[in-house]
Structures are given as structure tokens and as C-alpha cells.
Amino acid sequence: MSCRQCEIAQRNPLSGLYSATCDSCKARAIANGTDLYDAKRAGEMTPRYREALEKVFGDRWQKGHEMVKKWASNQKGTT
Ligand SMILES: [Zn+2]
């Protein structure tokens, strides 16, 4: 992915290392958080999840959402 922390996380999804300047890391943090968990359980994009995306990615929240989904599927079966 886009930084060293992301590379480590690809091999070890539980690494918990994030770079503050990397969009992919921010998406990964959301993918690991309760907002996405709740949205998945609800089967839809909850206002809180949408808010979390907008807080981090602003106008690019949809792109952020795509990255979050990628990380979430990457982690499937490993947790
Ligand atoms: Zn990163």
C-alpha cells in the first residue's frame, strides 16, 4: 500500500501501526473501528460511519470509503 505501516499491516492485520499522514492508514483505522462494525451490522452506511469518513477525508469521503472496504475485506478471516 502507500507507506511502511500499511505494508506491515498487509502482512499482519493486527499490527495496529498507523501513520498520521497516510490516507490508507486513516482508512485502516476506520476499518478497525466500531463505526464500521456498527454500519456492517446495520447493513447500511450509518450516520456515524459517514461522519467518521467525512472527518478524516472531507470531500473525498467516498474514496475513503473504498479504501476502508479494501482494508476490511483484507482483514476478513484473520480476526
Ligand atoms: Zn499507511
Side-chain angles (χ1 to χ4, degrees), residues 11-68:
R11 289 195 295 270
N12 174 18
L14 301 178
S15 78
L17 295 171
Y18 303 103
S19 162
T21 56
C22 169
D23 278 352
S24 188
C25 280
K26 294 174 195 167
R28 185 153 44 84
I30 294 176
N32 288 333
T34 54
D35 290 336
L36 177 66
Y37 180 79
D38 289 344
K40 269 164 119 180
R41 262 176 39 137
E44 61 184 17
M45 187 175 283
T46 60
R48 268 186 51 187
Y49 173 55
R50 166 88 188 254
E51 235 172 67
L53 286 173
E54 284 189 359
K55 201 155 68 183
V56 173
F57 297 104
D59 290 345
R60 298 175 302 127
W61 67 267
Q62 275 170 316
K63 189 175 176 252
H65 177 50
E66 292 304 313
M67 285 194 281
V68 171

